[in-house]
Amino acid sequence: MKSRSVFIGTVSDYFDCLVFDDWVMKANLSADVYQSLRKTIDQGARLDISVANAVAAAMKDWAVANGATHYTHWFQPLTGITAEKHDSFISPAPDGGVIMDFSGKELIKGEPDASSFPSGGLRATFEARGYTAWDPTSYAFIKGKTLCIPTAFCSYGGEALDKKTLLLRSMEALNRQAMRILKLFGNEEVKCVRTSVGPEQEYFLIPRELYEKRKDLIYTGRTLFGARPPKGQEMDDHYFGVIKPRVAAYMADLNEELWKLGILAKTEHNEVAPAQHELAPIYSTTNIATDHNQLTMKIMQKVAAKHGLVCLLHEKPFAGVNGSGKHNNWSISTDTGVNLLSPGETPYENAQFLLFLCAVIKAVDDYQDLLRISVATAGNDHRLGANEAPPAVVSIFLGDELQGILDAIENDTPYEATRKKTMKLGVDVLPRFARDATDRNRTSPFAFTGNKFEFRMLGSANSIACANIMLNAAVAESLKIYADRLEGAEDFEGRLHEMIQKTIRDHKRIIFNGNGYDDTWLEEAARRGLSNYPTTPDCIPHIMDGKNVQMLTAHKVFSEAELRSRCEILLENYCKTVIIEANTMTDMARKQILPAVQGYTAELADGVAAKKAVSADIACGYESGLIARLSLLTDQIASKTDELEAAVLELKGAVDVTQEACAIRDAVIGKMAALRTVADEAETLTAERYWPFPTYGELLFGVR
Ligand code: ADP
Ligand code: MG
């Protein structure tokens, strides 16, 4: 194996060392094989089986030399996490021993038993066969003792059973349409257009020994009970604060693990809530960023275990404390390195920039529902609209300067008072605007930040695939409409100007530069006709709205059957999540909370009896009052637990998953909240030594 110590410094010694990347390929493949593989990676050319065999052999040798004994086709089923089934490289040798073997066929295609993964009706369980197909655009890597080969996962009939296939299709759709536009602007040398993403990942770290004492964290990833601690996040002393030594050690270890896998972990800091932190990598091509984010989430949890910690990725682990999101920083660029969302130097480049900007504005307005759907989960419902994260209404923030430019175009007025001429695209050079000035608004769900858009509605546990699939597809649709109109236009510049102006006029309702956390915005948004789907059951069924099916199938991102299956799976997921939470609450209330409160009440009563035995005249006002309050709360906890249980049982009567999800939203969620209210009140009144699990204070301030 070639060593990388030619680079300076220790990180570069091991950076990417567990990845079968371009560098390793070049070093370990013949020139011919390398060239063919590159063609497949860069241009999607078909892979010859002899090339696959050579790549497989080199991959195996490299993996074995790095300690691997197994390989797996690593894929992202619709559960939203990653799946793997390990096979060892060993193969019987004629002399009775074993050899390490791995063929091109095994590299290209796998056949995991797919019956236990959700398919939303796409594949009856008796047709258990599903295929995984190698995605050569995302490098293979070693995790533990296993060579992981990123793959797409589809059914026997060719329908996608995963997120990666759809993501790749959406990237291709956007590429197709963006190339048409670039040709119109005379860009002949560009071979392809790709989207890039830098996802900022938020998470909580809590001590493992405390986590293990809480059934709610173990079963659901979030606390279902818990009174507010005396101190929360009100002092704002955690955000960007000094990182505690134990957390710093965790972050250092995490970085090292990520760097070995070629993940460009770059920024880390404390977040708003106590025990909350953030990690951001340097952005990369969307497909790779998606794989890397999935790996990052897994590794965050694995490294936490090593440090006696637990990494919580749930969107709302603690009520009343900031939740965790994921910011999807997204841009479009050419293979020649031009960021199409960055204003350029020449009039033409600027017109091109404005056209792409308008394509995004139009896409976000036309498909605001799809963007909302792409981040909808039971977990994220606790965050969106809860006055800390963006509201459930999608809107775009552009900033004053860009807004000024769009206003000038819309109204045919001069951009600056000093300018005489009105803005005509292709003639005027856009005035330069400072990038920093565009990122002042942290409350917008979809903010332009100088050369990229930041989509902030994603939940911390979401796969970024979904949001990017919808975003890419919707922008592809805008670009298609533009390209259809521009191709064959006699007066290109005139048509361009007219189209940009029309987009601004038709879609300005989606632009909102004010405070997205403000309640008056929701009223204003309703007046503008923007959709507002506060919960998952509210929005998911809209996947099947005619315009959405039409657009997504026209660009070949989804088939109609695939869309129906997504709708089904997302609702099913929602139902399962909330039912597990409700059952966990019932269990905790009956087996832990009620006995604790009752035990303390009994102790108080014993105390009163003991006092009264000394003298009937001794005052017991404090105890008696407390006993009365606790007894009332005990009854309330018991009855609210029964009501919750009954509501869950009633769900069995639902005719389908949509009805079940709506019943959960209307009849279960409220009962969970009601039970929690009385249980949390009881916590504040019960002696600490009786309380059966760690409190918010201990969980949030336990890592020192
Ligand atoms: P902030 O918290 O101010 O939003 P961060 O530095 O935490 O900024 O995160 C910004 C993210 O945006 C990083 O992941 C970064 O790599 C990514 N990013 C920067 N430029 C681009 C771009 N052109 N396209 C996509 N992502 C980008
Ligand atoms: Mg950000």
Side-chain angles (χ1 to χ4, degrees):
M1 276 300 103
K2 277 201 184 180
S3 122
R4 289 163 183 242
S5 48
V6 283
F7 300 107
I8 305 159
T10 49
V11 175
S12 42
D13 280 346
Y14 63 78
F15 183 79
D16 224 16
C17 69
L18 296 179
V19 182
F20 193 76
D21 62 5
D22 194 61
W23 195 91
V24 182
M25 287 180 195
K26 225 183 220 153
N28 294 286
L29 298 172
S30 72
D32 283 355
V33 170
Y34 173 76
Q35 287 307 337
S36 315
L37 181 58
R38 266 295 10 139
K39 246 188 159 155
T40 303
I41 296 173
D42 296 334
Q43 294 158 34
R46 261 191 97 79
L47 198 73
D48 196 77
I49 186 69
S50 64
V51 174
N53 279 330
V55 176
M59 227 186 232
K60 185 255 305 170
D61 287 345
W62 168 81
V64 170
N66 281 288
T69 53
H70 288 64
Y71 72 91
T72 182
H73 276 199
W74 185 75
F75 59 103
Q76 300 170 28
L78 298 167
T79 47
I81 50 161
T82 55
E84 42 198 82
K85 168 183 161 235
H86 298 202
D87 282 304
S88 76
F89 288 122
I90 59 165
S91 189
D95 63 4
V98 290
I99 50 166
M100 300 300 255
D101 195 26
F102 185 48
S103 70
K105 220 177 108 222
E106 288 166 310
L107 166 64
I108 293 177
K109 192 167 143 192
E111 289 187 26
D113 178 352
S115 54
S116 314
F117 293 109
S119 73
L122 275 183
R123 174 188 29 65
T125 27
F126 58 84
E127 285 173 39
R129 228 149 19 138
Y131 292 104
T132 50
W134 180 35
D135 166 20
T137 63
S138 182
Y139 296 133
F141 56 90
I142 296 171
K143 198 157 60 93
K145 287 186 169 299
T146 305
L147 169 68
C148 299
I149 299 155
T151 52
F153 182 41
C154 56
S155 76
Y156 189 68
E159 289 105 348
L161 292 174
D162 68 348
K163 301 186 190 238
K164 174 174 281 236
T165 308
L166 304 167
L167 182 64
L168 291 171
R169 288 184 197 157
S170 75
M171 290 171 71
E172 188 41 39
L174 190 133
N175 174 47
R176 258 193 314 268
Q177 304 304 331
M179 288 299 290
R180 288 175 68 194
I181 299 283
L182 291 183
K183 288 234 157 56
L184 288 164
F185 277 89
N187 290 303
E188 292 297 339
E189 72 284 10
V190 175
K191 288 204 187 62
C192 72
V193 170
R194 289 196 178 121
T195 56
S196 302
V197 168
E200 299 162 57
Q201 175 76 48
E202 291 181 338
Y203 61 98
F204 279 85
L205 282 181
I206 59 166
R208 176 158 289 272
E209 70 276 10
L210 301 184
Y211 167 91
E212 278 164 0
K213 292 188 183 133
R214 292 206 53 137
K215 294 192 206 182
D216 48 5
L217 286 175
I218 293 173
Y219 296 140
T220 74
R222 73 180 182 103
T223 54
L224 300 167
F225 295 102
R228 278 170 198 233
K231 179 181 175 191
Q233 64 192 49
E234 48 283 277
M235 302 290 282
D236 282 335
D237 52 357
H238 191 252
Y239 191 50
F240 280 28
V242 177
I243 297 173
K244 291 175 188 149
R246 199 164 162 203
V247 176
Y250 165 80
M251 287 176 171
D253 212 2
L254 174 62
N255 280 339
E256 199 169 302
E257 292 299 316
L258 294 175
W259 288 336
K260 281 188 205 163
L261 288 165
I263 298 172
L264 295 153
K266 169 92 174 159
T267 315
E268 59 212 9
H269 57 77
N270 287 348
E271 263 301 329
V272 177
Q276 192 185 29
H277 312 281
E278 179 187 296
L279 179 140
I282 296 175
Y283 66 96
S284 51
T285 307
T286 309
N287 168 32
I288 292 168
T290 305
D291 286 357
H292 281 180
N293 182 250
Q294 290 288 353
L295 264 177
T296 300
M297 291 194 284
K298 276 265 153 87
I299 291 167
M300 278 178 158
Q301 287 166 319
K302 197 176 108 189
V303 173
K306 243 172 70 185
H307 287 253
L309 301 167
V310 172
C311 170
L312 300 177
L313 290 168
H314 194 282
E315 282 79 9
K316 194 73 177 176
F318 304 100
V321 172
N322 246 39
S324 298
K326 182 139 59 188
H327 292 175
N328 191 79
N329 294 275
W330 174 92
S331 64
I332 320 173
S333 53
T334 66
D335 61 332
T336 52
V338 177
N339 180 349
L340 297 168
L341 292 178
S342 192
E345 304 289 337
T346 66
Y348 252 55
E349 281 170 1
N350 276 329
Q352 188 179 284
F353 157 71
L354 279 173
L355 189 66
F356 277 94
L357 184 82
C358 283
V360 178
I361 294 171
K362 178 174 163 52
V364 173
D365 188 24
D366 286 340
Y367 299 100
Q368 40 181 293
D369 46 356
L370 286 181
L371 290 178
R372 169 67 184 94
I373 288 164
S374 76
V375 300
T377 60
N380 215 14
D381 280 1
H382 296 286
R383 221 182 122 246
L384 298 178
N387 247 10
E388 46 152 295
V393 178
V394 180
S395 67
I396 299 181
F397 168 83
L398 290 178
D400 293 343
E401 297 206 69
L402 201 48
Q403 187 63 54
I405 293 168
L406 295 195
D407 288 346
I409 297 170
E410 181 191 352
N411 305 314
D412 284 323
T413 52
Y415 169 60
E416 289 161 317
T418 49
R419 287 182 164 228
K420 293 278 173 314
K421 277 192 306 182
T422 57
M423 295 268 307
K424 276 270 187 275
L425 292 163
V427 184
D428 257 8
V429 181
L430 276 186
R432 292 225 136 264
F433 54 89
R435 245 166 225 178
D436 286 349
T438 60
D439 189 23
R440 287 286 141 79
N441 189 321
R442 300 232 153 228
T443 63
S444 173
F446 203 94
F448 184 66
T449 52
N451 61 354
K452 61 185 186 320
F453 278 98
E454 184 169 346
F455 184 28
R456 298 184 175 131
M457 284 170 93
L458 286 78
S460 48
N462 283 158
S463 157
I464 62 169
C466 309
N468 288 293
I469 292 166
M470 296 308 181
L471 188 53
N472 291 342
V475 173
E477 172 69 7
S478 305
L479 293 173
K480 177 187 176 293
I481 292 169
Y482 292 164
D484 287 349
R485 284 190 52 71
L486 284 171
E487 281 166 1
E490 270 171 31
D491 170 14
F492 178 77
E493 282 177 17
R495 175 74 56 90
L496 182 66
H497 182 81
E498 179 197 302
M499 262 174 23
I500 288 182
Q501 200 173 42
K502 183 170 160 39
T503 301
I504 300 169
R505 284 183 185 154
D506 292 351
H507 298 285
K508 65 180 174 190
R509 65 170 189 165
I510 197 77
I511 300 170
F512 176 62
N513 293 313
N515 181 2
Y517 294 0
D518 206 336
D519 283 342
T520 56
W521 161 234
L522 293 186
E523 292 158 25
E524 163 75 14
R527 272 195 299 279
R528 293 187 188 190
L530 300 179
S531 58
N532 183 2
Y533 299 121
T535 72
T536 298
D538 296 333
C539 66
I540 298 291
H542 291 282
I543 295 182
M544 298 312 295
D545 285 0
K547 73 169 176 74
N548 295 335
V549 175
Q550 163 67 25
M551 184 276 281
L552 290 165
T553 54
H555 287 277
K556 300 194 166 36
V557 176
F558 286 88
S559 69
E560 198 169 333
E562 284 167 348
L563 276 174
R564 204 167 300 116
S565 83
R566 271 23 171 218
C567 185
E568 183 101 7
I569 288 168
L570 289 166
L571 288 171
E572 225 168 57
N573 228 343
Y574 173 84
C575 295
K576 284 182 186 161
T577 305
V578 182
I579 291 172
I580 292 171
E581 290 179 348
N583 289 339
T584 305
M585 284 188 96
T586 314
D587 181 275
M588 288 171 81
R590 290 204 179 123
K591 297 195 180 140
Q592 297 185 298
I593 298 174
L594 284 170
V597 182
Q598 202 275 334
Y600 181 49
T601 316
E603 184 191 299
L604 289 169
D606 287 349
V608 172
K611 279 191 187 178
K612 296 282 182 201
V614 175
S615 158
D617 299 333
I618 290 184
C620 296
Y622 159 70
E623 292 95 327
S624 307
L626 193 51
I627 289 169
R629 282 178 77 186
L630 285 174
S631 302
L632 181 62
L633 283 169
T634 309
D635 282 356
Q636 287 175 331
I637 294 170
S639 63
K640 294 199 183 304
T641 304
D642 292 346
E643 284 168 29
L644 177 60
E645 188 181 52
V648 171
L649 277 175
E650 228 166 84
L651 296 173
K652 292 208 161 59
V655 297
D656 61 20
V657 71
T658 311
Q659 200 189 59
E660 186 179 352
C662 292
I664 287 177
R665 174 196 60 197
D666 300 335
V668 177
I669 302 266
K671 297 207 165 55
M672 287 167 66
L675 169 57
R676 179 176 182 148
T677 305
V678 283
D680 288 358
E681 194 184 337
E683 183 191 331
T684 64
L685 298 173
T686 304
E688 220 167 74
R689 64 181 184 285
Y690 275 89
W691 203 248
F693 39 76
T695 62
Y696 266 32
E698 292 170 291
L699 292 168
L700 288 166
F701 297 95
V703 178
R704 275 185 277 272

